[in-house]
Each structure stands twice: as C-alpha cells, then as structure tokens.
Amino acid sequence: MEAEKTDEELMLAYAGGDLLAFEMLYRRHRGMLYRFLLRNLRQRADADELFQETWSRLIGARERYRPEAKFTTWLLQIAHNLVVDRFRRQRPQASVEETEAVMRTLDAPESEQPERALSEFEQRRRLQLALEDLPEEQRLAFLLRIESGLGLEEIGEITGAGRETVKSRLRYALARIRARFAT
C-alpha cells in the first residue's frame, strides 16, 4: 500500500493537473481554514466569502506553487492576506465614545457563577469573548498556534513578524486570556 502523500506532494500533483490531489487537500484543510477565517472575521457571511476566495486564489496560483514552506503555512498566508485586505477596506468609523462603550461591554464579567459551575458552552463563550478582546496581532498568533498547530517560524512567515515578536504576542495573548478567566 502506498504511503499517504504529504500536502506539498499533493499540491505539486494538483499543479500538474491531478484534480483528485486538490480534492484531498480540500478535505484535509477545509475545516481548519474555515475556523481560522471565522475566528478572525466573526461573521459567517464574511468567512464564507473569504473561504471561497482563498481556495480560488490557491487554484489560480497552483502553477506557481513551490514547496518552500509547509502547505498549511502557504494556505494560511493567502487567507491572512485576504483578512487583512478586508479589514483595511472596512476600517470601523466609530467615535471615541462608541469605542469606549464597546470596550466596557467586553470587559464586563459575563457571569458571576464560579468557574467550576460553568457549562462547556459557557466556557467556550468566555473563550470566544476573550479572543475577541485580544488585539488583532495577538489573536491571530494565538489562533495560528492553537488551532492550526503552527510553530513560531511559520506564524512569523504568515504574519510577517519576527520569531521574538511572535513569541511576545503569544505570551501576551495567553496572559490576557488567563486574566479573563480569573475573573
């Protein structure tokens, strides 16, 4: 029995015209990619749109693909660039008062119940709120590390940040999340 092909081998096969290789890549990474987009965009419609656009960009770039980095790093780089472009086009135009009101709402404790009594749903909701409260750079680094299992160098490649910067972002993100759960 032939050993399972790596993502990089599948992408090269797809670039050579093997449509089954693309289907395998899609099946392997659609869930991870969609979660990444949804956590960053927070709106299902936006995540759906950029999910399709990411795969379209991959298809368009298939002949130029070179396995210089892990396939997942390359795929998430495409998605990250689309997310950044989306945020640049849709910069919020909120007033200082509106921004402060939203921040006060996010900082408000969600529940007065002790942590041990929280249901699994409430724990996930608190984590989601904690993630939303993180600065974009910290949230992105945290999600790439925890959900995608990427290393510091890979996260740096995707975000354009140095290894030490990525390390700091992860450390600060974890500290903020822990503080959020301590309240």
Side-chain angles (χ1 to χ4, degrees):
M1 180 175 212
E2 184 181 326
E4 191 170 309
K5 289 187 176 183
T6 67
D7 294 335
E8 294 76 18
E9 291 169 335
L10 287 171
M11 188 61 197
L12 290 171
Y14 174 55
D18 183 351
L19 295 180
L20 291 176
F22 174 79
E23 289 178 24
M24 178 72 83
L25 286 169
Y26 181 80
R27 272 183 286 178
R28 280 185 189 175
H29 300 292
R30 65 183 175 204
M32 176 270 304
L33 176 63
Y34 191 77
R35 283 189 305 275
F36 170 78
L37 290 167
L38 188 59
R39 292 234 191 231
N40 277 286
L41 297 167
R42 299 185 196 108
Q43 298 294 323
R44 204 171 280 285
D46 291 339
D48 290 346
E49 182 182 335
L50 291 191
F51 179 81
Q52 293 300 324
E53 182 64 23
T54 301
W55 289 109
S56 293
R57 296 273 176 104
L58 177 141
I59 290 167
R62 71 185 174 274
E63 293 173 357
R64 295 185 311 273
Y65 174 76
R66 299 289 174 265
E68 295 164 357
K70 280 179 55 176
F71 171 81
T72 51
T73 302
W74 184 67
L75 179 65
L76 289 171
Q77 177 71 54
I78 294 170
H80 170 69
N81 290 342
L82 291 169
V83 168
V84 168
D85 289 346
R86 170 66 55 96
F87 283 132
R88 284 183 183 143
R89 285 192 308 272
Q90 298 178 343
R91 289 188 195 266
Q93 300 300 316
S95 69
V96 172
E97 294 81 20
E98 289 172 319
T99 303
E100 287 177 6
V102 168
M103 293 311 242
R104 278 194 303 275
T105 302
L106 289 175
D107 287 337
E110 185 166 325
S111 172
E112 297 300 321
Q113 293 181 323
E115 243 182 76
R116 60 179 154 49
L118 292 174
S119 70
E120 186 177 315
F121 173 79
E122 289 169 323
Q123 289 283 4
R124 283 194 311 264
R125 180 70 182 136
R126 287 182 74 189
L127 177 58
Q128 182 63 38
L129 290 172
L131 288 171
E132 288 175 6
D133 199 25
L134 292 175
E136 181 182 344
E137 296 85 10
Q138 290 176 18
R139 182 178 63 250
L140 178 60
F142 184 81
L143 292 174
L144 288 171
R145 177 73 179 131
I146 300 302
E147 287 197 345
S148 302
L150 299 180
L152 299 176
E153 289 80 14
E154 294 166 317
I155 295 169
E157 286 179 39
I158 291 170
T159 61
R163 186 179 198 283
E164 292 303 314
T165 301
V166 170
K167 220 159 114 175
S168 293
R169 288 176 181 171
L170 288 171
R171 186 174 58 249
Y172 287 126
L174 191 54
R176 284 175 163 223
I177 291 170
R178 282 183 178 147
R180 183 72 180 245
F181 274 81
T183 58

